[in-house]
Amino acid sequence: MADTNIALNKTSTASGYVLPYEPSRAVNGTISPTSRWLCNTVPANMVVDLGATYIITATAVKHMGSAGWENPNFNMCDYSLQGSNNNVNWVTIYSVVNNSLSSDLRSVLCAFRYVRLSVTKGLRVNPQYASVVELEIYGHAPNANLSALAISSGALSPTFNSNTLAYTAPKVPYGTSSVVVSATAADPTAMIKVNGVVMTGGQSTVYLNVGVNTINVQVTALDGVTTKNYTISVEREQGAILSNLAISSGTLEPAFSSEHLNYTTQNVLYDTATVTVTPTTNIPGCTITVNGNAATSGQPSPVNLNVGDNTISIVVTNGADLQTYTIAVKRESSLYLDKVNLLYTGNRFSYSNVVNMNHTTLSYTTSVDEKASQVTITPIGEDSGVSITITSNGSSQTVASGVSSSAIPLQNVVSTVSLVVSKTGVTGTKNYTLTIKKV
């Protein structure tokens, strides 16, 4: 942006002047000995009304030395340049002490309507006289336009134009939780805010809610008054997500979040052959399957479990969008006995017997010949990895599934045998009671 002398031929006043050297001669663009402002009383000041607030980027104070007078004696010594927007309250832009230059050129950056040259020590040859050949103020009108605007999700509609304020960006899938907005101000001195946050480096990351999002891009010129508001509307699709997920066997780990897809839960006992899974979605039109079977949002769906590791798959579909959640659940091994083989001996005879077992009964009774004096027990577990602790007559022994115990004396007409089934890594035990009667 090319800046011009915005003080040229603007209205100027002064605290005093010597005719014909009125202040307007110092803003007429002419460099000559007779084209200057001259005041014979210091302190003195000269004020230029720019007519409106401008962005000021440079200034030039051209002293009498620049018009051929003796240098540096006819240059002013001490002065300051000040700015105001109401001609009452002044801000010092810069101050100069003991100047010797014939032309004082400076880069600045500020925004004012009024500019005042305030002299506290005048010409070197006569400090009570203030004189300046030309006061030049360079700048431009406040500009809150953008020169470029883009979004990472795709091309804006309509095509960007600095005078068009409202745009639409392409839809983004649910998985796109943020976009990057890029913007360039036509005036580099302007400030850009995106959704109220100052943009740095020409880009801002904006996080998106599900549904339509309005991104506000506000440009404020350096004057702090001139603004322009651009908007970008971008829709984040609802996607295929759950709003909640629960399982009857316990608590999901980690705690449910729509963004998290994979979960575990506590082990379930062997007796828990079925669990229910309750998936919920708040998105109309979504379909849900649990292990391939259709499910209803908010309603429990039964899932049969195998012994060991199980993966329950919950698939949510919404049009072309698909999301799969999983729950890993382990069903523990069986602690049930399938049967107990018994071998009775006594008085030079032996007999065998089999006690078949079921899941609903833990106490069993079997009969032996009255002459039987001892028995060996061989427990068979549904899971071959179990251990069985056999206790009778105050004595205990532990055997593996399918392994016979040592002989157990049958001292009484009725003997009671305890069989406690356990397995490492499996919760609890199964406690059986076997009553042996001599008949």
Side-chain angles (χ1 to χ4, degrees):
M1 181 179 296
D3 289 340
T4 59
N5 180 9
I6 54 179
L8 185 64
N9 295 320
K10 294 294 175 66
T11 301
S12 58
T13 57
S15 58
Y17 61 92
V18 176
L19 286 172
Y21 304 108
E22 58 193 18
S24 61
R25 293 194 176 196
V27 290
N28 63 6
T30 301
I31 306 297
S32 73
T34 59
S35 180
R36 59 191 173 98
W37 166 60
L38 174 63
C39 181
N40 59 2
T41 303
V42 174
N45 64 72
M46 169 186 163
V47 177
V48 180
D49 181 0
L50 302 176
T53 299
Y54 282 86
I55 309 302
I56 301 171
T57 57
T59 66
V61 180
K62 296 185 176 180
H63 300 276
M64 292 175 64
S66 65
W69 294 71
E70 182 182 339
N71 236 331
N73 290 335
F74 285 87
N75 299 331
M76 290 192 297
C77 293
D78 300 349
Y79 56 91
S80 62
L81 193 70
Q82 300 169 329
S84 173
N85 282 315
N86 58 13
N87 205 19
V88 175
N89 302 308
W90 295 91
V91 175
T92 297
I93 301 171
Y94 61 82
S95 295
V96 179
V97 176
N98 198 28
N99 171 64
S100 61
L101 299 174
S102 60
S103 293
D104 183 6
L105 309 177
R106 293 176 182 263
S107 294
V108 298
L109 185 58
C110 52
F112 293 111
R113 171 174 174 169
Y114 300 93
V115 177
R116 181 170 72 179
L117 182 67
S118 180
V119 183
T120 53
K121 186 176 180 181
L123 307 179
R124 285 180 175 272
V125 295
N126 190 342
Q128 289 303 308
Y129 276 77
S131 186
V132 62
V133 172
E134 195 74 12
L135 176 60
E136 297 175 352
I137 308 297
Y138 291 89
H140 55 269
N143 185 345
N145 285 336
L146 287 178
S147 61
L149 179 64
I151 192 169
S152 59
S153 62
L156 295 178
S157 178
T159 302
F160 174 75
N161 182 291
S162 61
N163 294 319
T164 301
L165 300 182
Y167 298 90
T168 300
K171 285 184 180 181
V172 299
Y174 173 81
T176 302
S177 60
S178 66
V179 291
V180 176
V181 175
S182 302
T184 304
D187 182 352
T189 68
M191 177 179 65
I192 301 174
K193 287 185 177 181
V194 177
N195 284 353
V197 179
V198 176
M199 173 182 281
T200 58
Q203 292 186 327
S204 289
T205 298
V206 177
Y207 293 92
L208 302 176
N209 297 317
V210 171
V212 176
N213 297 257
T214 299
I215 302 172
N216 295 296
V217 183
Q218 184 186 62
V219 189
T220 303
L222 189 64
D223 65 352
V225 176
T226 305
T227 61
K228 206 162 191 178
N229 294 298
Y230 297 82
T231 62
I232 303 173
S233 177
V234 56
E235 181 178 353
R236 180 184 178 191
E237 293 179 341
Q238 291 182 320
I241 62 169
L242 294 177
S243 58
N244 195 27
L245 178 62
I247 188 170
S248 61
S249 63
T251 304
L252 295 180
E253 298 178 1
F256 176 76
S257 164
S258 296
E259 310 289 340
H260 193 86
L261 301 181
N262 301 311
Y263 299 88
T264 61
T265 189
Q266 297 92 333
N267 290 356
V268 299
L269 299 177
Y270 173 81
D271 290 332
T272 305
T274 302
V275 294
T276 61
V277 172
T278 305
T280 304
T281 180
N282 294 330
I283 301 174
C286 279
T287 60
I288 306 172
T289 61
V290 176
N291 279 1
N293 298 313
T296 302
S297 174
Q299 299 299 315
S301 292
V303 177
N304 295 324
L305 299 178
N306 297 317
V307 173
D309 294 326
N310 296 261
T311 298
I312 303 173
S313 176
I314 303 98
V315 178
V316 189
T317 305
N318 184 12
D321 289 328
L322 181 147
Q323 194 73 274
T324 301
Y325 297 81
T326 65
I327 304 174
V329 56
K330 183 175 182 178
R331 180 185 176 194
E332 294 183 345
S333 302
S334 172
L335 295 179
Y336 286 107
L337 292 178
D338 179 50
K339 61 184 176 179
V340 174
N341 295 328
L342 300 101
L343 179 64
Y344 306 102
T345 60
N347 197 22
R348 295 175 295 188
F349 71 88
S350 63
Y351 294 99
S352 62
N353 194 3
V354 177
V355 178
N356 293 305
M357 299 179 169
N358 59 65
H359 287 184
T360 60
T361 305
L362 295 178
S363 295
Y364 296 86
T365 299
T366 188
S367 299
V368 298
D369 188 276
E370 64 178 352
K371 296 179 180 179
S373 60
Q374 62 183 21
V375 62
T376 59
I377 296 176
T378 306
I380 310 295
E382 290 185 346
D383 184 319
S384 61
V386 298
S387 297
I388 304 95
T389 298
I390 304 171
T391 302
S392 181
N393 302 319
S395 178
S396 297
Q397 55 184 302
T398 300
V399 297
S401 175
V403 176
S404 299
S405 70
S406 57
I408 298 172
L410 298 176
Q411 299 171 345
N412 304 310
V413 174
V414 177
S415 298
T416 300
V417 179
S418 168
L419 298 97
V420 178
V421 187
S422 63
K423 183 179 180 181
T424 301
V426 177
T427 305
T429 60
K430 290 293 180 186
N431 302 324
Y432 289 87
T433 300
L434 178 62
T435 299
I436 303 174
K437 292 182 177 181
K438 293 182 181 182
V439 293

